[in-house]
Amino acid sequence: ELKVEQNPLFLSMQEGKNYTIYCNYSTTSDRLYWYRQDPGKSLESLFVLLSNGAVKQEGRLMASLDTKARLSTLHITAAVHDLSATYFCAVDNTGNQFYFGTGTSLTVIP
Amino acid sequence: NAGVTQTPKFRILKIGQSMTLQCAQDMNHNYMYWYRQDPGMGLKLIYYSVGAGITDKGEVPNGYNVSRSTTEDFPLRLELAAPSQTSVYFCASSYPGSSYNEQFFGPGTRLTVL
């Protein structure tokens, strides 16, 4: 069974600071996904990373993928309150089944 | 496009009752999925379907059934509801022909079994 681990599980950071969320997965995977979930809401797709060395950026968020280390990172630059949410990474195995991490709950403090 | 829609939004069931959670998508996606999300946890795959008439079990299928008679609809059936099935249920769809195979999620159904 493919396992996906995220850390930290909880992150409280001040506005303006930088931080990184880590996502490790246990077996080879075709794609790595990052999602955002606001409290009581559904999941919103942030990034899809397809290959080793892939890097994608949107605003203050940047995601990268190292398939050899089976590691993805989500880097937050100069955090703002609007980024407070839970962030999930997920991988798909053969394209049929998706496996999600347990999520990182991010709180940005003014 | 409405995307992925789910009904109902909320439901309270008594132990032993049954119900069907509805899911529909209008994006002509082949693949559809049902997940459950327990408080403070990630998503667990219950069932998925790669096309009309084809379904398969995910990580946590016990206590659930699905059918896929059309491309658009993928209902999830709970028989003999139990408190352990209290959760938020998300339906999703994707198009595997795209290199991204990105999943699009519905708004969720919050189910409580008492």
Side-chain angles (χ1 to χ4, degrees):
Chain A
E1 179 186 316
L2 197 157
K3 292 193 183 300
V4 182
E5 294 183 346
Q6 284 182 240
N7 69 82
L9 297 183
F10 299 93
L11 176 55
S12 180
M13 55 191 297
Q14 286 188 312
E15 276 190 336
K17 298 292 188 183
N18 304 334
Y19 210 83
T20 301
I21 299 171
Y22 297 89
C23 174
N24 289 90
Y25 53 99
S26 59
T27 62
T28 303
S29 176
D30 295 331
R31 286 165 282 249
L32 191 293
Y33 305 83
W34 284 98
Y35 293 90
R36 169 182 171 141
Q37 185 179 37
D38 292 308
K41 302 292 186 183
S42 187
L43 279 76
E44 173 192 353
S45 178
L46 294 174
F47 302 108
V48 183
L49 302 169
L50 298 181
S51 59
N52 189 44
V55 177
K56 288 196 173 180
Q57 182 162 7
E58 180 74 33
R60 299 174 188 275
L61 300 177
M62 183 174 72
S64 65
L65 179 62
D66 181 345
T67 57
K68 293 177 184 176
R70 297 178 187 157
L71 170 69
S72 179
T73 61
L74 181 66
H75 187 73
I76 303 154
T77 302
V80 294
H81 180 67
D82 285 351
L83 290 179
S84 297
T86 299
Y87 294 85
F88 292 96
C89 64
V91 297
D92 73 359
N93 191 11
T94 74
N96 288 350
Q97 298 199 39
F98 288 72
Y99 296 85
F100 282 76
T102 50
T104 296
S105 177
L106 171 66
T107 303
V108 181
I109 303 165
Chain B
N1 282 357
V4 181
T5 58
Q6 291 182 238
T7 55
K9 286 188 167 55
F10 304 93
R11 183 74 185 266
I12 298 175
L13 282 183
K14 294 182 180 178
I15 295 171
Q17 287 185 320
S18 60
M19 75 165 294
T20 299
L21 282 66
Q22 301 292 344
C23 174
Q25 53 92 10
D26 62 359
M27 297 175 282
N28 203 30
H29 286 171
N30 302 76
Y31 285 24
M32 296 187 75
Y33 312 82
W34 273 107
Y35 294 91
R36 60 176 287 171
Q37 184 180 30
D38 297 328
M41 302 295 288
L43 276 67
K44 298 283 188 186
L45 182 64
I46 304 171
Y47 272 95
Y48 66 98
S49 167
V50 301
I54 307 170
T55 62
D56 209 346
K57 296 178 181 179
E59 286 183 85
V60 291
N62 291 346
Y64 307 94
N65 278 300
V66 293
S67 59
R68 182 102 181 267
S69 56
T70 67
T71 300
E72 294 78 20
D73 300 298
F74 191 39
L76 177 72
R77 178 86 177 157
L78 278 72
E79 304 282 2
L80 297 174
S84 61
Q85 293 178 304
T86 294
S87 191
V88 180
Y89 292 84
F90 289 103
C91 178
S93 71
S94 71
Y95 176 58
S98 126
S99 58
Y100 292 109
N101 194 25
E102 188 177 357
Q103 287 191 315
F104 295 85
F105 284 84
T109 294
R110 188 174 298 273
L111 176 67
T112 303
V113 182
L114 300 173

